[in-house]
Amino acid sequence: MAEPSSPIKIRHPERSSISNETNDVIEKRANRSESSSATLLEMDVAEEHQKLDYLDLEKQPDHESRPRGKTKTTRARLAVWMTINTIGTVAIVFTNKAIFDDPTFRQSQVAFATFHMFITALTLYILSRPFISLFVPSHMRIRIMLPLVTSMCLNVIFQNLSLTYSSITFYQIARILFTPMVALINVLFYQKSIPRTAAYTLAPMCLGVFIISYYEPKSTHHPEAEQTSMLSVFLALTSVFIGSVYTVWIASYQRKYEMNGFQLLFNQAPLGGVMLLVLIPWTDKLPSIHAAPFDKWMMILLSGSLAALINLSQFFIIAGAGAVSSTVVGHVKTCLIVALGWVINRRPVTDRSAFGVILAITSIIMWVLLLCGTSTTGMAS
């Protein structure tokens, strides 16, 4: 009697190759991390750039692949880095504001920006070394980087000018306009779309900033409160426009050259520092070492140290929590800075610009929640 034949196994080489290719793609996507600098020079742009990728679910970290035993430890470390990043960001805004309030340093805007550029470059260089190896450096030609670096330098200078001649509350609230401006540029020039429900929050967001812009220069009932002039409004709006263009260009460069934020900034920071260094003799009036108070020099060193610490913490937040969570942390920092600025300026709750502050912050929170909800729905479907 013939023995029963064993079942014939048919191999599909096509499926095997497709599976291997799929695994390679998944590994490449898992290794991507949307990174950014978080100094005063870059942190606002970085946070707004992360909003461009809300619906790009492949950039979210794969928490399920992590060992369960390490989940609590990972979450604890992530909470520590988020706390460090939040405290550092709030501290650097108030530290830099205190520096710029001194007439001795008010005319040293480019020099201060140059200092931060080189601090950022040094920090990224150390983080890329083999004994740390938080990211792999990638080098680009100077000719290719020049347009992006030029826009970054203009963004840095106008951000510092906006902070110098504005109250901290107005400076931080004006940064919220990054969201509608970046969305508008992407819709008009890059054919991108945003959820309709999220788009409805853009109008009250702009209205809130407009109310603050209108009432802050007219708020004279409290003479000790720092006033915002029409020059402050002009500098803030110019900074938002330049920063929004720069933000969109960052996303374009990352897609085109397949670089993450740290790799891109690794090329930008030293080149930007050199470009600004050349301008200092024509733009700045540098104070002598003895003319400025000793505590101001210490504040400058503190500002540089905070910038390095924020850069480091931002890397771990993006890698561990993803772009959405990092942006939520960014808006928590916005609320803290606005609240502390309001208290320090001794503005009463009945100030007419208070409604604009509440409207703008509520709108940006709704924007984040609606986009997060859209992302979750898309993932489920």
Side-chain angles (χ1 to χ4, degrees):
M1 179 180 292
E3 296 181 357
S5 58
S6 58
I8 300 175
K9 296 182 179 180
I10 301 176
R11 295 184 177 180
H12 297 278
E14 297 84 4
R15 293 184 181 178
S16 177
S17 62
I18 291 174
S19 177
N20 292 334
E21 291 177 1
T22 303
N23 290 334
D24 291 338
V25 171
I26 292 174
E27 289 180 3
K28 289 181 181 178
R29 291 180 176 179
N31 289 331
R32 290 182 193 168
S33 62
E34 197 67 32
S35 309
S36 57
S37 162
T39 62
L40 180 63
L41 315 179
E42 298 288 337
M43 61 186 178
D44 296 318
V45 178
E47 290 164 0
E48 295 304 325
H49 171 54
Q50 292 157 8
K51 295 172 191 173
L52 300 176
D53 300 317
Y54 272 155
L55 302 181
D56 194 355
L57 299 178
E58 69 180 24
K59 296 187 178 181
Q60 301 304 318
D62 186 6
H63 298 287
E64 295 180 358
S65 62
R66 297 177 182 172
R68 293 185 178 180
K70 296 183 179 180
T71 302
K72 291 184 178 180
T73 304
T74 303
R75 288 179 179 176
R77 290 178 180 175
L78 185 60
V80 170
W81 284 118
M82 285 182 173
T83 303
I84 292 174
N85 184 271
T86 301
I87 295 175
T89 302
V90 174
I92 201 174
V93 170
F94 286 91
T95 301
N96 289 358
K97 178 61 175 175
I99 294 171
F100 292 143
D101 281 344
D102 191 319
T104 309
F105 292 98
R106 184 163 289 195
Q107 297 178 350
S108 305
Q109 301 284 340
V110 177
F112 188 79
T114 305
F115 169 70
H116 266 264
M117 289 281 190
F118 285 127
I119 287 291
T120 300
L122 178 62
T123 303
L124 293 176
Y125 176 79
I126 294 174
L127 296 181
S128 68
R129 293 304 85 199
F131 60 89
I132 298 180
S133 190
L134 286 184
F135 71 97
V136 178
S138 178
H139 299 279
M140 294 286 294
R141 294 180 180 179
I142 295 178
R143 177 178 58 84
I144 296 176
M145 294 300 300
L146 273 178
L148 185 65
V149 173
T150 302
S151 64
M152 177 183 69
C153 292
L154 290 173
N155 174 53
V156 166
I157 293 172
F158 274 95
Q159 278 194 40
N160 286 342
L161 287 172
S162 175
L163 179 61
T164 301
Y165 295 99
S166 304
S167 66
I168 290 179
T169 299
F170 177 74
Y171 165 80
Q172 196 65 32
I173 286 294
R175 310 309 298 167
I176 291 178
L177 287 179
F178 264 114
T179 299
M181 182 61 70
V182 169
L184 180 63
I185 293 175
N186 276 291
V187 169
L188 293 179
F189 297 99
Y190 292 89
Q191 289 74 50
K192 290 189 176 183
S193 60
I194 57 177
R196 182 176 298 179
T197 52
Y200 291 151
T201 65
L202 297 180
M205 195 184 302
C206 295
L207 178 61
V209 178
F210 172 78
I211 291 173
I212 302 169
S213 304
Y214 180 79
Y215 281 114
E216 272 229 348
K218 300 175 180 296
S219 181
T220 57
H221 62 274
H222 202 294
E224 295 183 7
E226 184 177 6
Q227 301 303 317
T228 297
S229 64
M230 295 309 298
L231 174 63
S232 309
V233 176
F234 170 77
L235 291 173
L237 295 179
T238 304
S239 172
V240 167
F241 175 75
I242 296 175
S244 299
V245 173
Y246 170 59
T247 301
V248 175
W249 282 7
I250 288 175
S252 177
Y253 268 71
Q254 287 182 325
R255 287 192 300 266
K256 184 174 182 180
Y257 299 106
E258 297 183 349
M259 301 171 68
N260 62 39
F262 275 90
Q263 291 172 328
L264 194 60
L265 192 60
F266 182 81
N267 289 271
Q268 291 176 252
L271 181 57
V274 172
M275 289 177 62
L276 293 178
L277 188 63
V278 175
L279 296 176
I280 290 176
W282 287 274
T283 59
D284 287 16
K285 184 179 179 180
L286 298 177
S288 64
I289 296 178
H290 302 289
F294 178 76
D295 63 317
K296 296 298 180 183
W297 293 112
M298 291 297 99
M299 283 187 179
I300 291 176
L301 293 178
L302 175 61
S303 178
S305 301
L306 289 171
L309 191 61
I310 294 169
N311 275 318
L312 179 62
S313 61
Q314 190 76 7
F315 179 91
F316 287 104
I317 293 173
I318 296 292
V324 175
S325 298
S326 179
T327 307
V328 173
V329 173
H331 291 311
V332 170
K333 293 183 287 189
T334 295
C335 295
L336 287 175
I337 292 171
V338 169
L340 289 174
W342 195 275
V343 173
I344 290 175
N345 278 341
R346 300 180 182 180
R347 291 190 180 276
V349 179
T350 55
D351 193 301
R352 289 177 292 182
S353 58
F355 175 71
V357 172
I358 296 173
L359 183 61
I361 291 181
T362 303
S363 299
I364 195 67
I365 292 174
M366 291 301 299
W367 164 272
V368 174
L369 293 176
L370 289 170
L371 283 182
C372 288
T374 303
S375 298
T376 305
T377 303
M379 184 181 295
S381 61

